[in-house]
Amino acid sequence: MQILRTAGAAAAVVAVTAALAGCGSDDATTTSATGRLAGTVTVFAAASLTETFTKLGHDFEAAHPGVKVVYSFGGSSALAEQIEQGAPADVFASAAPADMQRVVDAGEVTAKPDTFVSNRLEIAVPKGNPGTITGLADFGRTEPRIALCAVQVPCGAAAEKVFQISGITPQPDTREQDVKAVLTKVTLDEVDAALVYRTDVQAAGDKVRGIDFPESGKVINTYPIAPLAKAPNAAAAAAFVDYIHSDPAKQVFAAAGFGTP
């Protein structure tokens, strides 16, 4: 399985286009001579889905030996923009309905998107909590080094809602383009605290410490998924979306800390 990280709209379009071009026309076919699924299925997915989708991609490939799953992970808003600009993709999985709606409004999705998981924010601090962070109020102080997602991406929009509910004016030192970039700031001890998804804290293991806060339960992100209207491999796209809703996939999501829709 190939996994592509998106650093920006233009870079991702080039990267995915090159990956598909390298596969050749035979690799883009949707069925083999026996009628089974075949070829490449390209999935644009929110960065917070990196670990779960990577595992599920391997499982999907095992169930369909003729299929190769190629991922492009990044901020949902950037991925939506890339799809609008014509990036060749088969499936879009967003960390928020708003970015999926952009793609729907652009005519890039014909099937109704389905919500498959939910998620919420959690405070992440470096191992040992050197900034002695105790809760959300610390994000309003100027002393701690703070990292947040950019406001245009789902984790950043969720953070803004949390701060509004709490009456806190955040003092971020950096805003990153996706939640994994924010988490990296924590694991490298470059910041004292960040707001990421609870699934990201769990995926990081002992590299970070998670601190829950009551307001997180008031802002829940729901994740929709849909096959794209111009999917080069429509059959595999539909099968992949179905698999994301399957019982084995639900078990993977639950183990990773995702909530039900």
Side-chain angles (χ1 to χ4, degrees):
M1 186 191 327
Q2 298 180 23
I3 300 177
L4 306 175
R5 288 290 299 174
T6 55
V13 171
V14 172
V16 175
T17 302
L20 293 180
C23 293
S25 58
D26 291 341
D27 198 40
T29 58
T30 59
T31 56
S32 67
T34 61
R36 296 176 180 175
L37 294 176
T40 299
V41 56
T42 302
V43 180
F44 278 26
S48 50
L49 294 168
T50 299
E51 291 81 11
T52 50
F53 264 38
T54 298
K55 173 174 173 41
L56 293 173
H58 287 304
D59 295 343
F60 185 76
E61 289 176 342
H64 303 283
V67 177
K68 177 172 61 178
V69 182
V70 177
Y71 286 115
S72 182
F73 293 111
S76 296
S77 58
L79 296 175
E81 182 179 355
Q82 291 157 30
I83 293 169
E84 290 176 310
Q85 291 178 349
D90 297 291
V91 175
F92 179 40
S94 172
D99 295 303
M100 178 63 76
Q101 191 59 46
R102 281 181 54 188
V103 177
V104 172
D105 292 343
E108 299 293 342
V109 174
T110 53
K112 181 180 178 181
D114 292 318
T115 300
F116 61 102
V117 290
S118 64
N119 212 346
R120 62 182 175 84
L121 297 176
E122 188 171 354
I123 298 170
V125 299
K127 192 174 181 179
N129 193 9
T132 62
I133 303 298
T134 60
L136 196 63
D138 290 312
F139 284 75
R141 297 167 47 214
T142 56
E143 297 87 355
R145 299 168 298 165
I146 301 296
L148 298 173
C149 290
V151 294
Q152 66 267 28
V153 298
C155 58
E160 288 298 298
K161 292 179 182 178
V162 163
F163 291 129
Q164 289 173 6
I165 291 171
S166 307
I168 295 171
T169 301
Q171 304 293 326
D173 295 278
T174 181
R175 286 189 179 270
E176 304 297 325
Q177 292 304 309
D178 65 61
V179 72
K180 292 301 185 186
V182 173
L183 186 67
T184 297
K185 293 288 184 180
V186 181
T187 59
L188 294 178
D189 201 18
E190 294 180 1
V191 296
D192 297 311
L195 278 187
V196 298
Y197 295 117
R198 62 178 179 177
T199 54
D200 296 299
V201 172
Q202 182 170 323
D206 61 1
K207 295 180 181 179
V208 304
R209 173 188 163 192
I211 301 174
D212 205 355
F213 57 98
E215 296 84 356
S216 68
K218 300 178 182 179
V219 181
I220 305 296
N221 278 49
T222 56
Y223 289 55
I225 188 171
L228 296 174
K230 300 174 185 176
N233 194 341
F240 182 87
V241 171
D242 286 343
Y243 185 72
I244 294 301
H245 291 288
S246 69
D247 288 338
K250 290 177 181 178
Q251 294 174 12
V252 171
F253 290 128
F258 285 96
T260 55

